[in-house]
Amino acid sequence: MAEFVEEIRERLLPEYEQMKTLGICPDDQIRETKRKRENLLNKIFQSQRSVADYADFIRHEKLIHKWITEKERSQGQNLSELKHSIVTRIIKLYREGLRFCPNEERLWDNFIMFSKKSIPHEVTGIYEKMLAYHGDKPTVWCNAGIWVHENVGNIQKVKEIFFRALQRHPDSEALNITFFIILLKEASKMSCTPTSKTTPSEQELGLERAALVYRNSKTKISNVFYFMKLLKGCEGEQYVNITASLQKEIIDDLMINFSREESVWDALAQRELQGLSMIDLKSMSLKSSIIIEENIPQKSILATGDAEKSQTSEDREDKLFPKGKSIWQVRTLKRRIELCVHVYQVGVRTVPTATMFSNFINAMLKLNQDLTNQPILKRKCLAIAFKEGHTFKLMNEDHYYACIKMLLKGAKGVENATKMLTEATHLKKTLLYYEMWMVVYMTENNDKKFLEIFRKAKDQLEPATSVSLWRMAITFFKTRPSEANEKFLKFFKDAAMQLSLEFAPFRADYLEYISATSTLDRTRREYDELSKMPPPCLELHRKMADVESKALSVFRVDKSRWRKCYENATHYFGKTNSQVWIDYIKFERDQGDPKNMAHLYERAKSTLDKQLVDNFMTEFTLLKAII
């Protein structure tokens, strides 16, 4: 260790001379750099050193290197020799730190990251050393294999790394997937021409190696998403044609082992939409175990008289793959949508779950985001998804909401929406269903039906959850003609009189409306009634205090009614809210009554919870100072 530190000190001397000679920085800055480095050297020389000491030194040297690089750029000087010296020192610090603490994985990662830029030719060797200590982590093996493949290009070395890794971690999904994709990449570069009639091509042999990795792994891994990732890997642009038989093998295994998984059907349906049809894979072999059959007639799945015109610009072939070079038949968008919907329909019957229907409906909703091509077909496919989800009673609230919006745009919209919501609420009574139902009648201004649904919802839902329904009713009747004004006021008053805590804000809103549209006497009567209703509402008292304040400035009425608002606020909230006392004291201050202020001060101290008294006293002191 002493030799290592001494070597660093010796190599630093010419660096300082060079920095001084080239005028890179003034003498005082060089002295400060020397001092910092000496402190860092002393730390890694001591017996009680830690990996953090090495990390600090490395971080400092990287900052110096960055600073030198900026000087080189700004001054136009060639400082490559100086920078190389710093890089060499950083590498030595990494190596020494890893000799001291080889189990520090993060230090290895940082060293490799640094070496990829500074000494890329040594990275493979660094990975090998790291694996000696961290070979228990599949990620390290993956990173090593990827580096050798992408930067060294030695496929034999790559295979050796992954064979060793899989001996140690045979059930690692990450290792198997990474090796599988690398073998596909290699196969895509190979010749597809056989050397003889009896000898397979290099590409076929390469694909067989990937298939062997898959077959070996499937005996050890039983996670459906692993198989899905491999299938997705085969769909890459450069592999999608050459891996057709491998795709079919993976799909067959998925259908045998995971046919009850919603994600499998979702993926297969999306493949049909992309143009990767199972029909084409089946045409390669008559021995398929796949369930999906091409039993859909060539005409639209929507056998109605309003089918879209054929042979339009949007119905022409989509050139997903070059003709003559693909095993995939080129299909129109219309046909791909039909095949996609068919797979979803098979899926929802095979796996009739809420998740499966959700996948189906979400896919159709996504299709309907772009109605440039095949708009009628897309809307009808969405209608099919909604209808089946509703029929199976497995549609969620959000999808009901989207369905109702769609229904209201069509003929007999209210009638169809009402029928669907009647059936939905019979199955499950939720706030959102009733909100949608009320919106349906709001759109056609049907007071009678609106009230009927509101009352039904009020009876069947918990009061605390129905606040939004009351707000909808109040808003609805507020916008109705003047003859419905009494109905609006009744709703508003009923909401304000509800006993649930969630309805308390209605009281202040109702009082504000009455004060703006009626007399002061009526406003006071309403306030007196509402202030006695549980639960108490602080905003109600503040609102009335504001009303009395404005009335006093106009009518010169008695202040006792104004004072009553503050008295009520302290009565109901004086134990837990110090601000109501401050507001009351401010009121008495404005009336010029110091005696009442002192009396309120004592009442507040004896009423407030103990933890609030100190804060109140501080605020009161500030208030007195202002006075």
Side-chain angles (χ1 to χ4, degrees), residues 451-468:
L451 270 174
E452 182 183 319
I453 298 305
F454 172 77
R455 288 174 182 141
K456 184 184 292 188
K458 189 162 64 77
D459 293 340
Q460 294 178 347
L461 297 175
E462 291 293 325
T465 64
S466 60
V467 174
S468 62

Side-chain angles (χ1 to χ4, degrees), residues 559 563 584-600 627:
K559 295 179 183 177
R563 181 177 283 107
Y584 198 173
I585 291 170
K586 285 180 179 178
F587 168 76
E588 294 297 353
R589 177 201 63 188
D590 294 341
Q591 309 314 311
D593 195 336
K595 184 177 179 182
N596 273 352
M597 287 176 64
H599 175 64
L600 287 172
I627 298 171

Side-chain angles (χ1 to χ4, degrees), residues 427-532:
L427 180 68
K428 184 180 180 182
K429 296 172 177 57
T430 71
L431 175 65
L432 184 59
Y433 290 162
Y434 284 113
E435 284 181 342
M436 287 188 281
W437 209 342
M438 288 167 65
V439 167
V440 168
Y441 291 124
M442 285 176 75
T443 57
E444 63 170 8
N445 293 319
N446 191 328
D447 297 21
K448 183 180 177 182
K449 289 290 186 180
F450 181 91
L451 270 174
E452 182 183 319
I453 298 305
F454 172 77
R455 288 174 182 141
K456 184 184 292 188
K458 189 162 64 77
D459 293 340
Q460 294 178 347
L461 297 175
E462 291 293 325
T465 64
S466 60
V467 174
S468 62
L469 299 180
W470 283 90
R471 289 208 179 276
M472 285 178 67
I474 291 167
T475 302
F476 176 63
F477 286 111
K478 188 176 182 179
T479 59
R480 304 299 289 136
S482 57
E483 60 267 18
N485 188 54
E486 286 303 317
K487 197 177 291 183
F488 158 68
L489 282 176
K490 183 181 184 306
F491 262 99
F492 214 162
K493 179 71 175 288
D494 287 348
M497 298 293 282
Q498 296 297 307
L499 300 181
S500 295
L501 182 63
E502 291 77 10
F503 285 85
F506 279 107
R507 295 176 190 173
D509 295 342
Y510 175 70
L511 191 73
E512 183 176 28
Y513 179 81
I514 292 297
S515 67
T517 59
S518 190
T519 64
L520 179 61
D521 286 341
R522 181 176 177 182
T523 304
R524 285 172 171 172
R525 288 197 305 273
E526 296 287 359
Y527 169 73
D528 290 342
E529 183 180 4
L530 291 172
S531 63
K532 298 172 185 175

Side-chain angles (χ1 to χ4, degrees), residues 234-253:
C234 292
E235 295 172 8
E237 187 178 348
Q238 62 269 51
Y239 325 125
V240 70
N241 288 318
I242 65 174
T243 61
S245 59
L246 191 50
Q247 290 178 53
K248 182 180 178 302
E249 183 177 345
I250 296 172
I251 292 173
D252 284 348
D253 288 336

Side-chain angles (χ1 to χ4, degrees), residues 214 231 234 243-254 271 278 280-290 328:
Y214 166 66
L231 182 60
C234 292
T243 61
S245 59
L246 191 50
Q247 290 178 53
K248 182 180 178 302
E249 183 177 345
I250 296 172
I251 292 173
D252 284 348
D253 288 336
L254 280 168
R271 279 172 59 89
M278 194 59 207
D280 299 326
L281 295 181
K282 286 183 66 176
S283 68
M284 297 170 55
S285 170
L286 298 176
K287 300 177 181 179
S288 174
S289 60
I290 192 70
W328 309 100

